[in-house]
Amino acid sequence: MAETATVAAANVKKAPSKEKTYQVVAKRLLKNKLAVIGLIIIVLQIGMAIFAPLITSYDPVKQNLDASELPVFSEGHWLGTDNYGRDVWSRIVFGARISLVVGIVAVTLGLLGGVTLGLLGGYYKKLDGVIMRIVDLLFSFPGILLAMLIIAILGTSLINVAIAISIWSIPSCARIVRGSVLSIKEKEYIMAMKSLGASDFRIMVKHILPNAFAPIIVFATMRMATAILSTASLSYLGLGAQPPTPEWGAMISQGQAFMWSSPHLTVVPGIAIMLTVFAFNVVGDGLRDAIDPNMDIQ
Amino acid sequence: MISMIVRRFFQLIFLLFGISFLVFSSMYLAPGDPAAMVGGPTATASDLEAIRDNLGLNDPFLVQYGSYLANIAQGDFGFSYQTRQPVAEAIAVRFPNTLKLAVASMIVAVIIGIFAGLISALRHNSWLDVTSTTFALAGISIPNFWLGALLILVFSVNLQWLPVAGLSNSWFTVEGMKEMILPAITLGTSSAAMIARMVRSSMLEVVRADFVRTARAKGVKERNVIWIHTLKNAMIPVITVIGLNFGGLLGGTIITEKVFAINGVGRLMIDAIAARDFPMVQGSVLLVATLFVLVNLVVDIVYTYIDPRIKYQ
């Protein structure tokens, strides 16, 4: 008995210092090579977006018809120029800023709506039926169709694209949060808070929400990929950014007319979109595996 | 099973009412005077008032919605502000192209997705698995309008193997099939990637199941273990993904139709949004959303049928 106690004590001494959850998640995430590649791409894109004026030499919308349709690796324009003589590298860099900002705004608004509905639906049984029927209704539209319907009402602009994508994100987010809330609200510590007289608002915001944070963060990361891709798609269709805004999808749409003479006008922005969407997807995948390998996120 | 179908059918009716209400109220709230769009720039104030009376635009919202539903029940979706053509007629002309495109893309997605997923799972952790998984990730990340443009550049412009645009020939002719190849690959790639990922994870899960180990222990040939015992069970979740993707493909045709200049419902919708032709937007959105929920219902029923362990809640 005494021997067992000594061994147990020794084990306690040997046990590593308790790591915080985010440190464990970060360690697991950094072991995933694809996720690390994704993180590097995202950091580079954020850097491009922030320091855009410093890393480009040209105004992304300023025309120079004397230098139109220059091919890649031309002097002074390493990614060439478009049909108006605008520097493609400058437009790509400023386009990164637009994609990120629209993506962040869309995902944030979507999270606000989705988390609120999910929390209320999961916590209050009486509201659940109504909220879930609204969610079902929003789910009955293919995403791009719902976005187009909203743009049809609000009109074509990047802000309206962000609003449309955020509304499209609400039902998925609400379902994920509701699922988490339903399981968390049965935990003993929530019962304890209730018996101590904590208000519903306090329980939801201070005790349930932080514990439902893991699936929300994974959802947000993956949704960034969807948001950036959808922004580009809607701009390609002429429903988002309008000329001469240097938005990647709009750049492809404009470049398509010159695909035979200047294919780089189509190819380069496409690679930028693909790399960014790929990066957010693999980081989202990696985060999901790092947080909980068995977690199910759509 | 029958009670589940009946229950889902009633839920579907509720959902269809919801969709029609949402679509109608969206267009009702949209800025702009429909009478001015119908009357054109030369219409006088009294002309506009007459048009409003004629279209019932002066009625209260619920009365307008009620007559909208009554008209839909009779197959009358209104008429286009732009062309004056009945919406139902315009959609009926274009819908076969959209359906053809969605079905062809689904065929491409299922063939490539199942094949890639199987190879990935059966050669787990090999270079084939890494290649297939990377391609699947790229497939999910690639913008389909960009992929379409690249395919046109390579196969239509440079190699001149396939036509650039349009779906003008019948599907069951060589020309018709050639026209369909590039749009179907463009639209089906991301679904193929999703199906491949699902097949891979599902196969890897089932291959470790007890009944597969038992089959191997009993001396069942490896080929039979894979094709009869593993694949059949691994396909259950895959069917759901395939069904949901088909619904998504109906929405996805919007972009592909634009890239390949296909005269489908998606392109009709984009043009209608640009021209603020609300009856056309209403009609086409309503059609695609209705098809989407119908496909989801069929998937639910098929899913319950092929996996009797699932009792629909």
Side-chain angles (χ1 to χ4, degrees):
Chain A
M1 186 70 184
E3 198 179 315
T4 316
T6 315
V7 170
N11 282 343
V12 168
K13 275 180 193 168
K14 276 181 200 167
S17 60
K18 197 181 172 189
E19 282 182 297
K20 287 184 177 168
T21 314
Y22 71 86
Q23 287 173 320
V24 176
V25 170
K27 268 189 182 174
R28 283 192 205 149
L29 183 67
L30 293 176
K31 278 183 189 164
N32 183 332
K33 283 178 196 163
L34 267 179
V36 172
I37 294 171
L39 274 176
I40 292 170
I41 296 172
I42 292 171
V43 169
L44 282 176
Q45 204 203 353
I46 294 172
M48 273 166 66
I50 294 172
F51 302 110
L54 299 177
I55 55 176
T56 56
S57 317
Y58 300 93
D59 184 332
V61 295
K62 194 176 175 189
Q63 299 183 8
N64 178 10
L65 295 175
D66 292 336
S68 65
E69 286 192 67
L70 290 178
V72 287
F73 301 121
S74 297
E75 201 182 337
H77 302 279
W78 77 278
L79 282 182
T81 57
D82 67 7
N83 53 312
Y84 292 109
R86 295 173 298 204
D87 182 52
V88 174
W89 165 244
S90 304
R91 290 177 69 75
I92 289 287
V93 171
F94 279 90
R97 187 181 269 189
I98 291 173
S99 289
L100 270 184
V101 170
V102 175
I104 291 169
V105 170
V107 172
T108 309
L109 290 177
L111 285 184
L112 277 174
V115 168
T116 309
L117 286 180
L119 263 180
L120 292 174
Y123 194 78
Y124 294 110
K125 216 173 175 181
K126 283 181 183 170
L127 286 178
D128 194 30
V130 178
I131 288 175
M132 282 304 110
R133 292 298 80 76
I134 295 171
V135 167
D136 284 346
L137 186 60
L138 291 176
F139 261 125
S140 58
F141 291 87
I144 193 87
L145 189 71
L146 185 62
M148 286 174 71
L149 182 66
I150 295 160
I151 289 167
I153 307 165
L154 300 177
T156 53
S157 78
L158 271 174
I159 293 171
N160 294 342
V161 165
I163 294 171
I165 296 170
S166 70
I167 293 174
W168 164 9
S169 305
I170 287 174
S172 318
C173 182
R175 271 201 186 164
I176 289 167
V177 175
R178 174 183 172 266
S180 298
V181 174
L182 282 176
S183 66
I184 295 169
K185 78 171 185 180
E186 300 302 329
K187 303 265 184 204
E188 284 170 359
Y189 60 87
I190 300 296
M191 305 285 182
M193 289 308 298
K194 277 184 184 167
S195 59
L196 284 171
S199 69
D200 286 348
F201 181 77
R202 187 185 167 86
I203 291 174
M204 279 194 282
V205 173
K206 282 223 161 187
H207 300 279
I208 293 180
L209 194 54
N211 286 298
F213 206 63
I216 296 174
I217 200 92
V218 176
F219 171 81
T221 313
M222 291 191 151
R223 209 65 193 179
M224 272 298 287
T226 313
I228 289 169
L229 195 55
S230 312
T231 306
S233 304
L234 290 166
S235 295
Y236 174 82
L237 293 174
L239 304 176
Q242 301 298 317
T245 312
E247 199 282 331
W248 293 340
M251 283 171 74
I252 293 178
S253 177
Q254 290 150 27
Q256 228 180 326
F258 305 91
M259 209 157 62
W260 335 129
S261 54
S262 306
H264 67 281
L265 298 181
T266 312
V267 174
V268 174
I271 292 172
I273 299 170
M274 196 172 85
L275 278 178
T276 311
V277 175
F278 176 83
F280 279 104
N281 273 333
V282 291
V283 171
D285 269 355
L287 265 176
R288 181 186 53 198
D289 294 343
I291 290 170
D292 178 0
N294 298 318
M295 196 166 79
D296 185 25
I297 294 279
Q298 293 300 312
Chain B
M1 182 78 174
I2 290 171
S3 68
M4 183 276 273
I5 294 173
V6 171
R7 195 166 55 239
R8 290 290 277 124
F9 182 73
F10 280 110
Q11 280 176 3
L12 178 77
I13 291 174
F14 166 79
L15 214 50
L16 290 178
F17 269 113
I19 291 170
S20 68
F21 184 78
L22 197 64
V23 171
F24 180 81
S25 42
S26 308
M27 295 299 114
Y28 183 85
L29 292 171
D33 182 6
M37 290 178 209
V38 175
T42 52
T44 61
S46 59
D47 291 341
L48 293 180
E49 198 48 44
I51 293 170
R52 278 191 204 103
D53 266 345
N54 192 25
L55 294 177
L57 296 173
N58 291 328
D59 295 337
F61 171 77
L62 284 178
V63 175
Q64 285 189 45
Y65 176 61
S67 56
Y68 175 67
L69 280 185
N71 289 338
I72 284 179
Q74 295 167 47
D76 177 9
F77 288 78
F79 63 93
S80 161
Y81 292 161
Q82 261 182 310
T83 60
R84 307 291 159 94
Q85 190 185 14
V87 171
E89 199 180 291
I91 291 175
V93 171
R94 288 161 179 84
F95 181 64
N97 280 341
T98 300
L99 191 64
K100 267 199 285 188
L101 179 57
V103 171
S105 313
M106 197 71 249
I107 293 169
V108 167
V110 169
I111 293 172
I112 297 177
I114 292 183
F115 184 70
L118 274 179
I119 287 182
S120 212
L122 297 177
R123 299 276 180 273
H124 187 41
N125 285 337
S126 70
W127 66 270
L128 271 172
D129 182 22
V130 175
T131 312
S132 169
T133 313
T134 311
F135 269 104
L137 267 169
I140 290 171
S141 311
I142 201 163
N144 60 4
F145 54 91
W146 183 64
L147 177 66
L150 291 189
L151 290 174
I152 291 174
L153 186 66
V154 175
F155 293 102
S156 305
V157 178
N158 289 336
L159 299 173
Q160 298 192 343
W161 288 353
L162 297 165
V164 177
L167 285 185
S168 49
N169 293 294
S170 162
W171 196 0
F172 300 104
T173 60
V174 175
E175 288 309 309
M177 291 213 180
K178 278 170 86 176
E179 279 176 342
M180 188 57 87
I181 292 174
L182 294 186
I185 293 174
T186 302
L187 184 56
T189 298
S190 100
S191 297
M194 275 184 253
I195 293 170
R197 276 159 69 102
M198 194 67 202
V199 170
R200 180 181 180 273
S201 66
S202 185
M203 279 290 283
L204 289 177
E205 203 180 307
V206 176
V207 105
R208 294 188 191 114
D210 288 344
F211 65 87
V212 174
R213 198 176 302 124
T214 309
R216 284 204 172 108
K218 279 165 66 185
V220 176
K221 281 181 187 169
E222 187 59 20
R223 194 176 42 185
N224 290 348
V225 170
I226 298 298
W227 294 104
I228 297 174
H229 297 270
T230 313
L231 189 62
K232 237 174 147 180
N233 286 289
M235 280 298 117
I236 293 170
V238 176
I239 286 170
T240 314
V241 173
I242 290 173
L244 292 177
N245 264 290
F246 184 69
L249 285 177
L250 283 168
T253 53
I254 297 167
I255 295 168
T256 313
E257 283 173 13
K258 160 106 174 166
V259 177
F260 290 93
I262 293 169
N263 200 14
V265 176
R267 222 172 122 210
L268 182 75
M269 201 186 305
I270 297 167
D271 293 343
I273 290 175
R276 304 190 79 76
D277 187 351
F278 297 137
M280 200 61 94
V281 178
Q282 271 176 337
S284 39
V285 169
L286 203 60
L287 172 81
V288 178
T290 305
L291 282 173
F292 188 62
V293 290
L294 281 174
V295 168
N296 287 348
L297 173 69
V298 172
V299 172
D300 274 358
I301 293 170
V302 171
Y303 194 51
T304 320
Y305 180 73
I306 59 169
D307 189 0
R309 290 171 301 179
I310 296 163
K311 286 263 165 70
Y312 194 82
Q313 296 298 313

